[in-house]
Amino acid sequence: QVQLAESGGGLVQAGGSLRLSCAASGRTPSRYNMGWFRQAPGKKREVVAKIRWSGVSTYYADSVKGRFTIARDNAKNTVSLQMNSLKPEDTAVYYCAIWSTGWGDPDYWGQGTEVTVSS
């Protein structure tokens, strides 16, 4: 089994920054893609950012482009999400996820970390 542990959520004012981190442990796949999703109250879970095993290829939702940056450290089995210029609409529970292969449904999920952006 694979365990994902997120950290770094909290309360921040609009325009502020937060950095989320996620550490993978257990029987992690040999090469895996990682990413972040979020789910706001009353809304569906949506992908925020994704990054390939190599770290070279990334994807960002249009709503966060230019404000969020995803990065990974394969030696430490971690992925981070630097969130700048936060907006109230970024308020959500953020989940870390792992894909063993490809970009279908993630194979593993973290428990989530809450981010609240006040106006």
Side-chain angles (χ1 to χ4, degrees), residues 26-111:
R27 302 185 67 175
T28 55
S30 58
R31 298 167 69 90
Y32 54 93
N33 299 326
M34 302 186 81
W36 291 92
F37 288 73
R38 68 185 180 186
Q39 187 167 18
K43 295 189 176 181
K44 293 175 59 177
R45 189 175 297 189
E46 62 177 2
V47 63
V48 176
K50 300 185 289 188
I51 186 167
R52 287 194 180 277
W53 167 257
S54 65
V56 173
S57 178
T58 57
Y59 163 87
Y60 295 95
D62 288 342
S63 57
V64 307
K65 279 181 182 176
R67 301 187 297 122
F68 290 11
T69 302
I70 189 170
R72 66 186 295 165
D73 183 337
N74 290 340
K76 298 180 179 179
N77 288 334
T78 59
V79 64
S80 62
L81 185 69
Q82 178 66 41
M83 306 186 295
N84 298 328
S85 302
L86 283 161
K87 305 175 181 180
E89 50 264 44
D90 294 317
T91 295
V93 177
Y94 284 71
Y95 298 89
C96 175
I98 277 181
W99 292 262
S100 297
T101 59
W103 292 114
D105 291 334
D107 297 294
Y108 303 99
W109 293 91
Q111 293 297 309

Side-chain angles (χ1 to χ4, degrees), residues 14-25:
S17 298
L18 281 176
R19 184 175 184 273
L20 305 183
S21 295
C22 173
S25 61

